[in-house]
Amino acid sequence: MMCVPAMSAQTVNKIEATQAEFERQLDSIFHRSSLVFMPEFPDSRKLTEADYKRISEEADIEEAAIKAVVEIESGKTHNGFSPTGKPLLNFDLSLFKKKLAKEGINLNQARKKAPVAFMPPDTKRFGSYSDAQHARFEAARTISEKAAIESTFWGLFQIGGFNWSKCGLDSADEFIELMSRSEQDQLRLFINFLDRNGMLNLIRTKNWSAFARRYNGPGYKRRGYDRRLAAAYKKYKRVFNK
């Protein structure tokens, strides 16, 4: 049995002080986040069947195809916001680190400044798509506003912040404002993104492999993204055919 030397009282006090400071920063970030986003999610901000029908007709895309993307990106609940009114988001730490490096920001210094941003994404407290992701995002913004926004995926369709200009917007701030306003805005941004990137015809023709490659990246096959889209589309198509 290995003997571990006892820590000195000074070391214990230092560890406890560090933990207390970390908890203080975390509570502060959660508080600021709750002030940034609306505390409630009224029905007027949620997509209705009429909204799906209208946008489907305007963009000439089947409702079943749109709902298939929603299900794969945001889950079967089809929610672009949490019950507390915060937009669905997924902060990508690996992408954030790459963008910080491109900006010439020292990662060790950044980690000391905002440790919450560097918490592992697979812990219970910081699970994907949870409100706690906002704490990581807000912490990341204190290091680099640009890198934080462009390293986060937003809304029903999980559009990356780095695509704000490809959604036809003038700034990343406008992107966040619309993503945080309503699911109707999130759907509009999705259609704009497909239109400006030559992807409308791929979803119109249900070319799921080509669509998945463009929308989800080269690793789509490994994740079965195209097969999952096709299955979700068939499910909703059966609903509309009833």
Side-chain angles (χ1 to χ4, degrees):
M1 180 177 179
M2 183 175 64
C3 295
V4 180
M7 291 186 290
S8 67
Q10 182 178 7
T11 300
V12 171
N13 290 337
K14 185 176 181 180
I15 292 174
E16 290 178 347
T18 301
Q19 179 66 24
E21 174 61 18
F22 172 77
E23 293 293 340
R24 185 194 66 75
Q25 289 187 28
L26 185 60
D27 290 341
S28 175
I29 290 169
F30 270 117
H31 175 67
R32 291 202 308 273
S33 179
S34 68
L35 297 178
V36 171
F37 300 104
M38 295 178 66
E40 297 179 353
F41 184 46
D43 289 342
S44 61
R45 296 170 65 196
K46 190 167 181 59
L47 276 173
T48 65
E49 290 302 319
D51 292 323
Y52 275 111
K53 181 177 176 58
R54 182 176 63 257
I55 298 299
S56 171
E57 291 175 349
E58 290 177 2
D60 190 24
I61 300 173
E62 287 185 61
E63 290 179 58
I66 296 175
K67 288 188 174 183
V69 179
V70 170
E71 177 160 319
I72 301 307
E73 292 293 343
S74 65
K76 295 181 180 180
T77 58
H78 291 195
N79 290 326
F81 291 80
S82 72
T84 57
K86 296 177 184 177
L88 187 72
L89 62 76
N90 187 21
F91 174 73
D92 190 322
L93 179 57
S94 62
L95 183 57
F96 182 62
K97 289 179 179 178
K98 291 177 182 177
K99 290 189 175 294
L100 289 184
K102 287 184 178 180
E103 292 183 23
I105 296 176
N106 184 281
L107 289 180
N108 288 328
Q109 293 179 357
R111 188 177 285 105
K112 290 178 181 178
K113 179 180 179 181
V116 173
F118 293 85
M119 288 290 289
D122 57 346
T123 63
K124 290 182 179 180
R125 196 169 191 180
F126 291 92
S128 291
Y129 312 120
S130 69
D131 276 358
Q133 285 283 16
H134 285 276
R136 302 178 73 217
F137 171 69
E138 290 300 321
R141 292 177 80 173
T142 66
I143 302 169
S144 168
E145 179 89 5
K146 181 176 184 293
I149 293 172
E150 296 187 351
S151 300
T152 303
F153 295 82
W154 296 76
L156 286 166
F157 302 93
Q158 287 293 281
I159 300 174
F162 53 85
N163 283 316
W164 59 264
S165 63
K166 292 183 179 181
C167 292
L169 303 180
D170 295 326
S171 68
D173 286 339
E174 185 181 7
F175 176 84
I176 291 179
E177 179 184 353
L178 293 176
M179 281 291 182
S180 304
R181 192 166 69 180
S182 72
E183 290 181 353
Q184 291 88 348
D185 288 294
Q186 293 178 4
L187 177 54
R188 289 284 184 185
L189 291 178
F190 171 67
I191 298 299
N192 288 350
F193 177 75
L194 297 186
D195 186 27
R196 294 174 67 89
N197 289 277
M199 298 172 66
L200 280 176
N201 197 52
L202 297 179
I203 195 171
R204 284 171 181 155
T205 59
K206 275 71 71 180
N207 187 341
W208 297 121
S209 292
F211 178 83
R213 184 183 298 107
R214 295 283 301 279
Y215 196 81
N216 196 248
Y220 78 96
K221 275 286 187 188
R222 185 177 67 256
R223 293 186 286 270
Y225 192 85
D226 55 334
R227 296 192 303 275
R228 290 158 59 205
L229 276 174
Y233 167 73
K234 288 180 180 178
K235 181 181 73 174
Y236 289 108
K237 186 66 173 177
R238 286 195 297 270
V239 172
F240 284 110
N241 286 338
K242 286 183 178 179

